Each structure stands twice: as C-alpha cells, then as structure tokens.
Amino acid sequence: MKLKSYALITTALTGVMIAGGVYAQDTSAPAATADNDTAQEVIVVGVRKSLQKSLNVKRRASAHIDVITAEDVSKFPDVNVAESLSRLPGITVDRSGGGEGEKIAINGIDSRLINVSLNGNPLASAQAGANDTDNGRSFNFANLAPELIGNVEVYKTTEARLDEGGIGGTVIVNSRKPLSLPKNTFTVNYSYNYNERNKENDPRYSVFYSTKDDSGRFGMLFSYDYNKSVLGSGSISTAYQNVCNAAHWGGCEDDGSFSDASSLPTVTSGPALNSDMIVPEYIWLSSGLEQRERKTYQLALQFKPSDDLEFNLTGTRIQSDFSSYSQTFQTDLSVNWNETNAYDSFVKVGNNTVALYPTYMNAVTTTDAGVTGGSGAFAVRMDEYYKRSMLNTNTYNLQSRWTPGMWTIEANIGTTKATGGSDPEYYLSFYGNTTGSWSMTPDGATLNLDTSATDPTLFKTRTSGQQAGFVKTAVTTDQIDYAKFDFKREVEWGPVNEILFGYKYQKHTNVNKPHFFNTVFNLTGSMADFETYISDPTLVDGLGAGGDLQSYVAMTQAAVAAYSIANRSASNIVSGDYRDAGHFWNTSEKTDALYVQANFRSGKWHGDFGVRYAKTENRQTYRSTMDYYPWDEEMITLDKSYDDILPSFNAAYDLNDDMMIRFSAGKVMSRPTFADMSGQVEYSLDRYSTLADGHFGGTGGNPDLQPYRATNYSASYEWYFAPNSLFNVDLTYKDVESYIVKKNTFIDVTLPTSAVDYCTNTVNKLHDLGDARTAPCGNVESMMVYAPFNGSNAKIPGISVGYQGNLPWGFGIQANITYLDQQYGSYTDTYNQTTGRLPMPYLSRWSYTVSPYYEKGPIQARISYTYRSKYTTDVGSESSAPTYIDGWGQLDASASYNLNDRLSFNLAAQNILDDMQHPYTNGGLPLSWSKYGTRVTVGVTYKMQ
C-alpha cells in the first residue's frame, strides 16, 4: 500500500474513533487534579495513568508545554529520547542517522535553536562526526537513553526563569529522585533486538535501583543502561550541477548561450542542453555497518536533614561508540578527476597535473522528473572509510533547596562535558576506467559496466609514492561550568501571588582540533593486491538498484587500518601531522543572566510575566590560512560581546471546570554555532576559482555574527472533557528576525610574499596557456568568501490539533496533527547579485501522529504511526540543486503481558513499514534511495517496589 494512501486511511480511522470516543468514555480513571505534586512524585503504572500524569503537568502550567513520562516511553521500542518525543504535536525527528532518530525540530525550528537541559541545568553537546558544525549547540538525542528519564517537559513558549537559547523551544529532561520512590525500588529489563535488513542480533538491558532510609531523609539511586545496535544499510545516490557550472564545461554567457559549446557532452537523445538545466555528476553506491554501543550510568544522592532543607547530588555518565565501516563506489558521469588516463589533454605545471578538456560520455539531458542515461567511457572510484567515533557526555550537579517560611531558595552548581568526533578516520581511494551504460529514473538507477564492480583489478592504485588517502583525527570538546541561584517568594500583591528572581553564570568552551596525515601507495597495482570481500547485495534490496549498483569489491576493515598506519607520507614522517586549519576553532563564551518573574492568579486567570537579561562575552582563537605551497597561517584572537533583553508573558483563562484558553508572547534568542562564528577562513590559490573575472575563493566563518533573535506568539484552546482526555487546538506564530544564511561576498586580502610568488609561478602559467578563469596575482587580491551572515528573516505560522481519550472495551487513543506555513525573507548574494529565498531547514508543513492503545487486565499494547511531509536539510545556504527529504512515515508497535505484579514479557517492532527515505532536488529529480530495516525486540522486565 502506498504511504499516502495509508496516511489518508489512518487519518480517516482516527476521526471515526475520536467521534466514537467522545461519547463512550471509560470513567474508571481518576479525574485530573491541579495539585502541587511534581510530576516525578507520582508513581505511575499503566498507560492511562502515565497519560493522566502528563496531562496534569500540562494543565497546571502557565506556558504552553507537552510532557512525556518514563512509563509512557517504556511502552515503545524507542532506542533514544528523540524517537519518544516524535509523538508529541509539532515535534519532528530527522532519521538520517541510519534510521534512528537523532535531532528534533519544534514547530519548524531545527535542533541548533532548541535549548536542551538536564534537570533544568545546562547539558554539554558534541556530535559523532568529524568537524560537525552543530557541535556545542545541537543536542544529539541518540546519546540519551529512555531509561534515564523521569519525564521530559517540552516548553513551546518561554518564561523569564527558563534559560535563554531556545528560539524553537526548551526541552527539560528530568531524572528521578530516590526520596520520591518507594524504598528498594528495583527494575531489570533485558531484551534482544533483531534487524531484519542486516540480520544483526544485539542485546539491550538496564538495571535500576533506588532506596532510602526508614526516616525518609536520605536516599540513593543508581541505574545502568546498555544498548547495542548495528545499523547496516545501503543507498544509491546521485548529485547534480547546473550545466553552466559543471566542471570543465564551457560556462554560460549572460544571454544563456554557452561560452564553449565544443566542450559540452554530446546529446544523443532528448532535448538540447540549455543554461537552465541541471545534469547528473555521478552515481554512488554506498553500504556499510555502523556499530552503536551506548552505556549510561546514573547516580543520585538525596539528603533532607529537615523538612525545609534538601540536597541533591547527581552524576550522569554516557559512553557511546558510533564507529562505522563503509564504502562508496562512485561512477563519475562527467570524468572530472585529475587522472591522466581519464583525459584527452592535460598540462603539467610543476608537479601538478592540471586537466583542461576532459572526455565526456554521451548523455541524455535531464528535464524535470525525467529519465536520464547514456553510454560510453566511465571513470570509477572506490573509497574506503573506517571511522572510529566516540560520543561521551559527563554531567555532575549539586543542588541545595531551602524553603524557610514563604521563601524558596535554590542553588545549583555543576559542570558538564561532552567529547565527540573521529579518533581516527581512515580513508583510502582507488581509481579505474571502463566502459558501459547507465540509466536513472525517480524509481531507481541501473549501471552496467563491461568490467564488473566486483572485480578487484578494476580499481587501481596510483603510482607508487603518490597519495592513497589520509588518516584524520577530529575531536571536539564541549564543556559548560555553571552556577545558578533562584529565589521565589510568596506574596499577596493583588493578583500576583509569587515573585521569582535569579542569576546564572555560565562559562561555555568549545574546542575543535583536527589533525591528519597523508598516506601513500607503496606499490603500483590494484585492489587485488589487498585482502578484500564482496559487499552484501541484500543491503540495497528494494531500492531500485540494477546491475553493478548491487554489489562491489572492498577492502576489509582491518586491511584499511593496517595499510594506512604503515604507509604514512614521507613528508608527514618528517613534519608530523598536518593541522586541518580550515576546521579549527577554540571559543570561550561567558554568560551572565538575570531574571525577574511574577506569577499571578486571580479568579479564572493565572499566568506569569517577566523579563530576562543576558550578556554574552565571547573570546575566540582561530586560524586564517592560505592554502598553497608553502603553507601560511596566522593565529588570531578576537573578543566580542552582545546583550539581550527578553520579555515574556503567559496567561491562561478557565472558561469553566473543563475548558481553558492560553495566550503567550515572548522574545527569544539562540546563539550561532561555534563553527559559524569562528573567524577561521581558508583562502585557496592553488585550487583557483572558476569565476570568469579571476577572483580567488575562500570559505570560513564570521566572527561578527549576531544571535538568532525572534518573537514567538501562541494561543490555545484546551478541553479536558473527561478523565485522561483532552481535545486541544494550538495556534503558533514565530517571527525570526535575524536568521543566519551562508552567501558569497568579496573581501580584500593582503597576500604574503610567498603566496604572491606561488601565484605568479603556478597559477599565472595557466592564464598564459589561455585559461580565461585565472588572472595575474597582486599583493592585494579581492577574494570571494563563502561565509555565514545575519541576512534573512522568516515568519512561521502554525496550527496543531490534538486528541487524547479513552474508548470502550479497554481501548484508547492519542492523535495530533500539525500544519506549519513559512514566509521566509530574502537576502542578496554579493557575488552574483541575486536575491535568495531560503526555506527553513527541517520544517515539514504537515506532521501527525496516530497512536491507539489497549490496556485491560494483564495486557497492554500500543501502535504508533508518525508522519512528516517533505523538508529540506540545507541550513541557510543557496544551491542550484537543494536537498529535500520526501514525506516519510514510521509505524511502531509494542505489547506487554504482566505475568504478575513483578514480571512482564514484552514484544515490540520498530519501523515496521521500512519506508524508503527518498531525498530529491528541483523538479522531483532523485538524489538517493535508502532503507534501514525493521527492528524487532523481545524482552522481559522484572520490577520490585
């Protein structure tokens, strides 16, 4: 059944079930109450009680929040908290990390602009990939075990007391406290996971123990969670370029005609090439295995020497291994690598081989959503990647809480540190030539080579002594040290019943130090000279792959590592590792924040209003580099600061005992990513620009970036029409004033003498040979730099409708649907003088969840289908071929049988439909096809309390 048909049917069924459920409620559950107990002080058993607990928290709040509880999470086969959050309205999850959820968006605002905290305190953030620009800002939920949480509160509107930094919202992960649990609470979970796609079997287990003394004054809690999953997947990918920008082609004049039509590929069928077309560059076949192993330790000590004094010491340690081994088999459809046997003519400049006019295969041109293909000579390439990657987080916090009389005084002091990246990453590359044919449609691709991709002799080494690849180490360290002091005083100032005020000091450091060394071939041969294996063709089943896009020959993981270590480049042996200067940053950010907030209650009104002030001081050290031979770099230290005044208002009005409306407004901000605001810039001379006017190019960050700033508004209607029941309509409007985009601009750069000499002796030779894209070098060069700027704005209106309620015969249902529009602003690119309009990344116009459940006697069961419509992953950058992810849904199910009060058996399945992830670009042209497999879990749970 097609996904869209399935979506329509499930939505229709939901409407029928809702209509029936409104008039047929199970009244056995207790009514919602507005007591003052915290969410974690209620012991929940069963689906209905966990949902009721979440509704109680939501109903009491002034701000617009949604809540999930530990019990709610445990009834799903989620491997991390991101997947649990995806069932809340307006929250969408990007599953590009091997099919598992990693990062969330709230009402269309992506993860970099969402504040995530643990027990209300800062939480350091790193990523598993090398040089990830999201480090320090975007939290990776793949590193957060569901077993860690007591509940999760998602604030979609702000309050003055909440830490600044979340334009999209604030996610507070609350862990459990030992004095709130029965003495000797003990839980053991053990399950086994099976992935039907890669046939991997992996364990998952957790142990939780909480105790306290007879007086209830001292308690201790310990938990350990272990999860392992091996994600095996295959994908077929392609990429496109505009005809005018394709490598080594003739380019286009202002009137759209080609500058050098003789260098264009021959069109054998289809419409003639024109300047508006985009053409395929290559086809990739990728497959591999990623091992995800996560160990989570938590220790909590709680001491309450008197009724008005309490101390909490918590420590959380998360150790994760995201190591992977993958290969990419690439066929270049335009033959643009600097390989001698791939070109008809080339010129030697010093020791460099510079291509002038490559040979192109015959091609069928690409039109919107059309079919393309061709036959002729192919350049092929095999890339081997072995990445040892860790992602570790340590968090320690000491909290004291004193409640003398009408005061509540709370202090938190703590530190949190995260490290992540590649340590190291091994890379080897082989090249080859053959002939054959290819074709591609939106439903798949086929490649037929005269020499099979499984033949190791197809993939040649370069000449002995030439570069084979590299070994790279890129580790980011993110650390936050903080102290927070919060005060609350009960007052009787008219409608104001509480005054809150406080101060927070935070020092946030983020350091990325990448290194690498080159490796060389010690022989002239082929992959047949190494230990190899044939990739598993089942990893690409169902992707529309044909011919040589199903399997290939590859080196073993051990062989890649051993060869890379043993064959370091001679220049690296003498000089040591090169610094990957273009990805270096070292930033120290200090924040002082003050707030005052008044809570009010009068008649049917309650809410809060206040203001938060934050001063941010930033010191960064970065490299400005000239990428040429010899290498030149300059270390720069820069200080900057900015202030933000952030007022907020939340109000709720009780229409009657069951209905209420809410209104909220607030100014919010999010700081730029550390990579974006790092001033590091790499200018390129030896890889000269393809600009017709001869300007050289560079890429980098922008130390003058201002924060993202926005004003958020919301209104909602909530009807608690029965116990454990809610019908709600939420309206949201986000006015983002200073969205950061990436664009081209020109700056004047003074070149050192060595750079001028290099440019004169090397680049100008190409100019003398008639290459119009280069120009003579001077001491001062105007360089085009591609960098981030505060250059755009966006307005995001949205509406969300939700329903939760009991149905007859033990059934119940949760359902929600969200629609988001976007009215994005414009910016001007200095280089091409065009006005860009950039949609918000990770924003899906439509998302919904349908989750019926059954609970009666010893049986509990839930089904959940979540769906999001298409979205783009391009963050603030303009592209002639932007990436869109097609609409995608996931069906999960779980069931448990309670043998007695202590022992239960569990069965769950995740990603049952194994829907294809299908990124595409303009005109519906396909970019890739990927599947990740259904995961089945069988387990047992033992509880004692």
Side-chain angles (χ1 to χ4, degrees):
M1 180 181 294
K2 296 291 186 181
L3 176 60
K4 291 183 178 179
S5 300
Y6 182 88
L8 292 172
I9 293 172
T10 54
T11 304
L13 289 175
T14 302
V16 174
M17 297 176 75
I18 289 175
V22 170
Y23 299 103
Q25 297 298 317
D26 183 348
T27 60
S28 60
T33 61
D35 57 67
N36 293 319
D37 292 339
T38 63
Q40 62 182 351
E41 291 172 339
V42 180
I43 307 304
V44 293
V45 178
V47 175
R48 285 186 178 82
K49 288 188 177 181
S50 69
L51 297 179
Q52 182 65 64
K53 174 181 173 181
S54 298
L55 288 187
N56 287 344
V57 178
K58 179 181 179 70
R59 190 171 185 177
R60 289 195 300 265
S62 297
H64 180 189
I65 74 170
D66 288 302
V67 182
I68 59 172
T69 67
E71 180 75 10
D72 193 33
V73 170
S74 70
K75 298 305 175 184
F76 285 109
D78 303 329
V79 296
N80 61 60
V81 175
E83 297 178 345
S84 305
L85 291 173
S86 69
R87 299 181 181 89
L88 295 178
I91 297 183
T92 51
V93 174
D94 179 56
R95 298 181 184 273
S96 58
E100 290 187 356
E102 292 187 353
K103 299 178 182 180
I104 68 171
I106 300 178
N107 286 334
I109 303 296
D110 69 273
S111 62
R112 298 167 301 121
L113 311 180
I114 296 171
N115 189 35
V116 180
S117 67
L118 180 62
N119 296 317
N121 297 306
L123 187 60
S125 173
Q127 309 297 324
N131 305 323
D132 196 306
T133 58
D134 286 352
N135 274 305
R137 300 298 192 205
S138 177
F139 186 76
N140 189 338
F141 281 96
N143 210 33
L144 194 60
E147 291 81 2
L148 179 67
I149 73 171
N151 74 354
V152 181
E153 300 171 320
V154 180
Y155 283 79
K156 297 179 179 177
T157 62
T158 189
E159 297 181 29
R161 66 181 179 87
L162 297 176
D163 287 356
E164 74 284 350
I167 283 182
T170 297
V171 178
I172 301 178
V173 179
N174 293 308
S175 58
R176 287 168 281 189
K177 294 182 178 180
L179 295 186
S180 302
L181 299 170
K183 183 178 180 181
N184 295 325
T185 297
F186 178 66
T187 304
V188 177
N189 289 290
Y190 184 87
S191 61
Y192 221 70
N193 309 315
Y194 173 75
N195 188 314
E196 61 82 26
R197 192 162 194 85
N198 58 37
K199 314 305 180 187
E200 290 285 341
N201 299 280
D202 305 299
R204 178 180 179 182
Y205 53 86
S206 64
V207 179
F208 178 90
Y209 178 70
S210 178
T211 190
K212 56 187 175 182
D213 63 5
D214 293 336
S215 67
R217 298 292 187 185
F218 177 77
M220 180 183 69
L221 177 155
F222 171 79
S223 69
Y224 172 74
D225 168 79
Y226 177 85
N227 181 79
K228 182 180 179 182
S229 56
V230 178
L231 307 180
S233 62
S235 64
I236 309 297
S237 306
T238 188
Y240 303 86
Q241 278 194 342
N242 182 273
V243 170
C244 297
N245 298 330
H248 306 295
W249 287 12
C252 297
E253 303 292 350
D254 292 338
D255 61 2
S257 63
F258 292 106
S259 303
D260 184 4
S262 63
S263 68
L264 298 174
T266 302
V267 177
T268 56
S269 63
L273 290 170
N274 65 70
S275 60
D276 294 328
M277 288 182 174
I278 58 175
V279 293
E281 290 185 274
Y282 55 74
I283 296 178
W284 276 2
L285 166 60
S286 299
S287 66
L289 296 176
E290 178 178 348
Q291 173 181 289
R292 293 194 171 187
E293 185 177 39
R294 184 185 62 220
K295 302 174 184 178
T296 304
Y297 308 82
Q298 183 187 28
L299 176 67
L301 303 176
Q302 189 174 12
F303 179 47
K304 198 170 184 179
S306 63
D307 291 342
D308 61 358
L309 183 62
E310 177 184 329
F311 298 94
N312 289 278
L313 177 63
T314 57
T316 303
R317 185 174 188 180
I318 307 171
Q319 297 175 307
S320 298
D321 186 340
F322 283 72
S323 296
S324 63
Y325 183 53
S326 61
Q327 302 82 33
T328 299
F329 165 49
Q330 178 176 338
T331 63
D332 195 301
L333 307 178
S334 58
V335 195
N336 63 351
W337 295 315
N338 291 340
E339 289 298 302
T340 301
N341 57 2
Y343 293 93
D344 284 341
S345 67
F346 59 94
V347 63
K348 281 279 187 179
V349 179
N351 293 323
N352 299 319
T353 300
V354 180
L356 295 180
Y357 301 107
T359 297
Y360 291 91
M361 67 187 335
N362 295 332
V364 177
T365 58
T366 302
T367 58
D368 284 352
V371 177
T372 186
S375 61
F378 281 96
V380 296
R381 174 172 165 177
M382 176 61 72
D383 294 334
E384 312 276 341
Y385 296 93
Y386 171 32
K387 183 179 70 175
R388 290 173 52 188
S389 180
M390 79 310 192
L391 179 54
N392 298 329
T393 305
N394 296 323
T395 299
Y396 305 97
N397 183 78
L398 175 62
Q399 178 200 59
S400 61
R401 193 168 188 265
W402 184 33
T403 56
M406 303 179 74
W407 284 90
T408 298
I409 303 172
E410 184 175 308
N412 286 271
I413 184 169
T415 183
T416 174
K417 182 178 180 180
T419 56
S422 298
D423 190 19
E425 174 183 347
Y426 303 96
Y427 168 79
L428 290 177
S429 189
F430 298 81
Y431 297 83
N433 295 86
T434 185
T435 56
S437 63
W438 64 282
S439 63
M440 185 173 63
T441 75
D443 298 320
T446 298
L447 175 70
N448 293 301
L449 299 177
D450 292 334
T451 302
S452 171
T454 60
D455 185 345
T457 63
L458 174 61
F459 303 104
K460 305 293 194 298
T461 68
R462 292 182 175 181
T463 304
S464 179
Q466 290 188 333
Q467 183 172 351
F470 57 78
V471 178
K472 178 185 291 185
T473 298
V475 176
T476 302
T477 301
D478 187 64
Q479 181 167 340
I480 305 174
D481 301 309
Y482 60 89
K484 294 176 60 180
F485 303 93
D486 298 281
F487 303 85
K488 182 171 69 174
R489 176 69 158 83
E490 297 178 17
V491 298
E492 295 181 0
W493 298 350
V496 176
N497 59 354
E498 290 178 332
I499 293 292
L500 295 78
F501 58 94
Y503 166 76
K504 182 191 76 171
Y505 170 81
Q506 176 176 297
K507 182 180 180 181
H508 192 169
T509 57
N510 190 272
V511 181
N512 191 65
K513 292 183 177 180
H515 295 261
F516 74 93
F517 64 80
N518 292 321
T519 58
V520 296
F521 286 114
N522 61 11
L523 52 83
T524 301
S526 70
M527 196 179 288
D529 299 310
F530 300 87
E531 183 180 352
T532 61
Y533 71 100
I534 304 300
S535 68
D536 184 358
T538 62
L539 293 177
V540 296
D541 283 351
L543 302 184
D548 286 282
L549 293 179
Q550 299 181 74
S551 190
Y552 51 75
V553 64
M555 286 179 63
T556 63
Q557 174 179 301
V560 170
Y563 192 84
S564 298
I565 294 171
N567 291 278
R568 178 180 295 196
S569 170
S571 60
N572 291 142
I573 293 175
V574 175
S575 62
D577 293 353
Y578 285 141
R579 289 177 291 185
D580 189 359
H583 293 107
F584 171 89
W585 62 82
N586 184 343
T587 303
S588 176
E589 182 179 83
K590 295 181 181 179
T591 304
D592 292 278
L594 296 165
Y595 76 89
V596 60
Q597 176 176 318
N599 295 342
F600 64 87
R601 182 174 291 275
S602 178
K604 294 185 177 182
W605 286 97
H606 73 275
D608 63 78
F609 59 91
V611 63
R612 188 177 187 89
Y613 168 77
K615 181 177 181 61
T616 304
E617 297 177 298
N618 184 285
R619 165 165 286 195
Q620 53 179 289
T621 301
Y622 60 91
R623 293 189 180 115
S624 179
T625 65
M626 303 296 283
D627 186 9
Y628 68 97
Y629 304 98
W631 187 283
D632 183 85
E633 68 178 28
E634 180 182 4
M635 299 299 295
I636 298 174
T637 297
L638 181 67
D639 295 320
K640 60 173 293 186
S641 65
Y642 49 84
D643 302 86
D644 285 278
I645 298 176
L646 308 170
S648 61
F649 170 76
N650 296 280
Y653 180 77
D654 296 320
L655 297 172
N656 55 39
D657 292 342
D658 300 324
M659 298 184 188
M660 65 190 304
I661 53 177
R662 299 180 189 271
F663 307 94
S664 299
K667 295 278 291 185
V668 289
M669 59 85 74
S670 292
R671 298 177 178 90
T673 67
F674 289 100
D676 278 351
M677 67 182 181
S678 170
Q680 53 87 16
V681 177
E682 181 177 355
Y683 304 110
S684 180
L685 293 180
D686 56 333
R687 294 190 294 271
Y688 55 89
S689 171
T690 58
L691 301 177
D693 54 13
H695 290 281
F696 302 105
T699 60
N702 182 357
D704 294 323
L705 282 178
Q706 291 293 307
Y708 300 83
R709 293 186 172 102
T711 304
N712 293 346
Y713 305 91
S714 74
S716 63
Y717 165 79
E718 299 171 9
W719 179 23
Y720 298 86
F721 55 86
N724 190 38
S725 302
L726 170 66
F727 172 77
N728 64 287
V729 179
D730 302 328
L731 303 175
T732 60
Y733 186 85
K734 297 181 181 294
D735 186 356
V736 185
E737 303 163 3
S738 55
Y739 201 80
I740 295 173
V741 300
K742 290 185 177 181
K743 62 179 183 178
N744 296 291
T745 190
F746 286 108
I747 62 174
D748 288 335
V749 177
T750 300
L751 303 182
T753 302
S754 56
V756 176
D757 292 342
Y758 175 85
C759 185
T760 301
N761 295 330
T762 303
V763 179
N764 286 347
K765 287 185 178 181
L766 296 176
H767 181 74
D768 295 339
L769 290 170
D771 194 321
R773 293 167 297 176
T774 64
C777 301
N779 291 326
V780 178
E781 281 294 328
S782 179
M783 292 195 175
M784 182 188 71
V785 177
Y786 185 66
F789 293 87
N790 294 99
S792 187
N793 55 65
K795 294 176 173 60
I796 308 174
I799 181 172
S800 180
V801 180
Y803 176 87
Q804 174 179 316
N806 298 324
L807 299 173
W809 308 301
F811 289 95
I813 192 169
Q814 286 180 289
N816 61 73
I817 185 168
T818 300
Y819 173 78
L820 299 172
D821 197 5
Q822 57 176 325
Q823 303 162 4
Y824 41 88
S826 62
Y827 75 99
T828 301
D829 190 296
T830 305
Y831 159 55
N832 55 29
Q833 296 298 312
T834 59
T835 298
R837 294 178 60 82
L838 301 177
M840 298 291 286
Y842 300 98
L843 186 150
S844 292
R845 287 187 179 271
W846 290 98
S847 61
Y848 68 83
T849 297
V850 181
S851 182
Y853 60 86
Y854 175 83
E855 182 181 31
K856 194 169 186 179
I859 300 176
Q860 297 183 27
R862 300 185 75 170
I863 299 174
S864 177
Y865 181 76
T866 59
Y867 175 82
R868 65 180 301 182
S869 61
K870 74 170 186 178
Y871 60 97
T872 178
T873 59
D874 292 335
V875 179
S877 60
E878 186 179 32
S879 172
S880 61
T883 299
Y884 300 96
I885 307 296
D886 203 358
W888 194 77
Q890 178 160 315
L891 180 66
D892 304 326
S894 63
S896 64
Y897 180 83
N898 298 326
L899 187 63
N900 51 46
D901 292 340
R902 295 187 175 184
L903 188 63
S904 64
F905 297 95
N906 313 299
L907 175 64
Q910 195 172 27
N911 192 25
I912 296 173
L913 301 179
D914 195 15
D915 190 24
M916 184 185 296
Q917 287 202 2
H918 190 199
Y920 64 94
T921 188
N922 294 335
L925 294 169
L927 286 172
S928 70
W929 303 262
S930 302
K931 284 192 173 188
Y932 299 105
T934 299
R935 297 187 292 273
V936 179
T937 302
V938 179
V940 60
T941 300
Y942 177 81
K943 296 181 179 180
M944 181 179 68
Q945 59 185 32

